């Protein structure tokens, strides 16, 4: 029997959904059996602290990347928003499948819309990006940290009487068939998603030609160009996965439009901009927007 194609993944319900989804796409393309290998990451182990306090990028990816380099797995499936922009020697982002929904979902048992929240309402999120953008729009709100997988956070909304709402990724809720929990998809004119939100990144070893060829059909060109622009923006700003940076690139035909925003953690200011150009120049467009935002004063937020 052929050696199995081993997919490295985190063990959360959402991560397993993503890995099973990729496995289902790969099975018709190979005669090798495809199996999942669950790997615990730092972000999974440390659940009682805000992500920003644990320190460093790669909280949900480093251990899986180490397993790839050690040849314990052949493919890594990442939520692309968790994957640092700095390349890891010996590894390559081999494919980016068609992107899922990019929105942020407002979930509340009491209020139909984010703008309906009364002054002083308590909203929970694990994301500094969501926190800062929510406070920028509504500085009167009380934003608190909330860690855990999707189901855990929904349960805490129901069990903790002091919570008026939580904010989660739209894609995660839909992938887990929890779309009925969504109260409102937040307006992307002011709540920009995370870099790579809704997209998956499939990573493998640079010299593994068989796996590279196997993953190639899963790559979606428009999605890859969009996330390359967003990741170039993040890299150009010098920010990591935990910095309050929102970005969204949209590819229509051969044209790409990229919007981005940088905020301090308290949401007291917002530096934003937009660029557009040829989709094939995705990374150059991301770098150009980074330089524009830095010139507007974003550097002060990032250094803080």
């Amino acid at each position: 029997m052929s050696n199995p194609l081993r997919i490295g993944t985190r063990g959360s319900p959402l991560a397993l959904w993503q890995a099973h989804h990729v496995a289902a796409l790969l099975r018709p393309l190979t005669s090798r059996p495809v199996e999942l290998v669950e790997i615990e990451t730092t972000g999974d182990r440390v659940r009682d602290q805000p992500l920003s306090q644990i320190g460093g990028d790669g909280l949900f990816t480093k251990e899986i990347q180490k397993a790839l380099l050690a040849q314990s797995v052949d493919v890594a499936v990442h939520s692309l928003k968790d994957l640092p922009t700095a390349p890891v020697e010996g590894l390559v982002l081999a494919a980016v499948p068609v992107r899922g929904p990019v929105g942020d979902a407002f979930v509340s048992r009491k209020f139909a819309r984010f703008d309906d929240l009364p002054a002083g309402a308590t909203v929970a999120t694990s994301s500094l990006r969501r926190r800062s953008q929510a406070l920028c729009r509504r500085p009167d709100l009380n934003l608190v940290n909330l860690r855990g997988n999707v189901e855990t956070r929904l349960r805490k909304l129901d069990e903790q009487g002091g919570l008026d709402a939580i904010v989660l990724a739209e894609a995660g809720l839909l992938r887990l068939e929890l779309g009925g929990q969504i109260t409102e998809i937040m307006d992307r004119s002011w709540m920009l998603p995370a870099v790579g939100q809704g997209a998956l990144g499939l990573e493998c070893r640079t010299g593994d030609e068989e796996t590279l060829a196997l993953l190639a059909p899963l790559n979606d060109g428009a999605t890859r160009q969009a996330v390359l622009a967003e990741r170039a923006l993040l890299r150009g700003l010098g920010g990591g996965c935990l910095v309050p940076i929102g970005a969204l690139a949209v590819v229509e035909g051969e044209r790409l439009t990229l919007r981005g925003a940088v905020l301090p953690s308290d949401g007291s200011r917002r530096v934003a901009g937009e660029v557009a150009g040829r989709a094939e120049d995705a990374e150059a467009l991301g770098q150009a927007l980074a330089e524009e935002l830095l010139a507007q004063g974003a550097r002060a937020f990032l250094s803080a």
Side-chain angles (χ1 to χ4, degrees):
M1 179 175 290
S2 302
N3 291 331
L5 183 72
R6 300 158 300 174
I7 297 178
T9 175
R10 296 171 55 209
S12 72
L14 180 56
L16 289 172
W17 183 96
Q18 294 171 168
H20 280 294
H21 172 68
V22 171
L25 295 175
L26 286 171
R27 286 192 177 101
L29 304 177
T30 179
S31 60
R32 296 167 63 183
V34 180
E35 63 182 37
L36 270 54
V37 178
E38 293 184 30
I39 299 169
E40 187 178 50
T41 67
T42 300
D44 297 314
R45 285 194 298 272
V46 184
R47 300 187 181 188
D48 58 348
Q49 299 177 44
L51 293 173
S52 57
Q53 294 180 12
I54 301 174
D57 284 344
L59 295 174
F60 295 108
T61 59
K62 281 182 181 177
E63 286 82 358
I64 303 175
Q65 291 176 318
K66 287 178 181 177
L68 261 182
L69 291 170
Q71 301 189 27
S72 301
V73 298
D74 305 298
V75 178
V77 177
H78 304 293
S79 289
L80 200 50
K81 66 183 179 63
D82 294 331
L83 186 65
T85 58
V88 174
E89 187 176 357
L91 300 181
V92 62
L93 183 61
V96 181
V98 175
R99 195 174 199 169
V102 301
D104 289 291
F106 174 76
V107 181
S108 176
R109 311 303 189 215
K110 306 173 185 177
F111 304 99
R113 300 169 60 248
F114 177 85
D115 286 343
D116 292 341
L117 290 166
T122 298
V123 180
T125 175
S126 63
S127 162
L128 281 176
R129 172 191 58 84
R130 291 175 183 139
R131 173 191 177 91
S132 62
Q133 292 186 104
L135 286 173
C136 185
R137 185 169 179 85
R138 291 286 306 272
D140 58 300
L141 298 179
N142 176 36
L143 270 290
V144 299
N145 185 67
L146 183 66
R147 291 282 315 277
N149 61 40
V150 173
E151 294 90 339
T152 298
R153 288 185 242 181
L154 289 170
R155 186 173 66 251
K156 289 180 178 179
L157 174 63
D158 292 325
E159 294 176 353
Q160 295 183 14
L163 287 182
D164 294 298
I166 61 176
V167 184
L168 300 167
E170 176 188 7
L173 288 164
L174 294 179
R175 286 167 176 165
L176 293 173
E177 299 184 357
L178 294 169
Q181 303 280 341
I182 297 174
T183 309
E184 177 191 31
I185 301 301
M186 302 178 81
D187 187 346
R188 288 197 289 274
S189 69
W190 61 267
M191 178 62 85
L192 279 170
V195 167
Q197 185 159 311
L200 303 179
L202 310 185
E203 204 173 24
C204 72
R205 292 180 293 278
T206 52
D208 187 351
E209 298 297 337
E210 181 182 354
T211 303
L212 282 165
L214 189 59
L215 293 175
L218 274 56
N219 189 69
D220 179 68
T223 298
R224 189 181 187 97
Q225 289 168 324
V227 299
L228 284 178
E230 294 170 14
R231 287 168 65 79
L233 166 63
L234 181 60
R235 186 168 57 248
L237 290 169
C241 304
L242 305 177
V243 175
I245 296 171
L248 181 62
V250 176
V251 175
E252 296 177 326
E254 297 180 358
R255 188 168 180 80
L256 183 149
T257 302
L258 172 66
R259 292 190 295 132
V262 185
L263 303 91
S265 58
D266 64 1
S268 56
R269 284 190 61 199
R270 186 176 190 266
V271 172
E274 178 178 313
V275 295
R278 298 184 306 174
E280 64 187 52
D281 298 328
E283 293 190 277
L285 290 169
Q287 179 62 36
L289 183 54
E291 292 170 2
E292 178 184 324
L293 297 180
L294 289 171
Q296 290 185 44
R299 193 181 306 277
F301 309 158
L302 297 165
S303 60

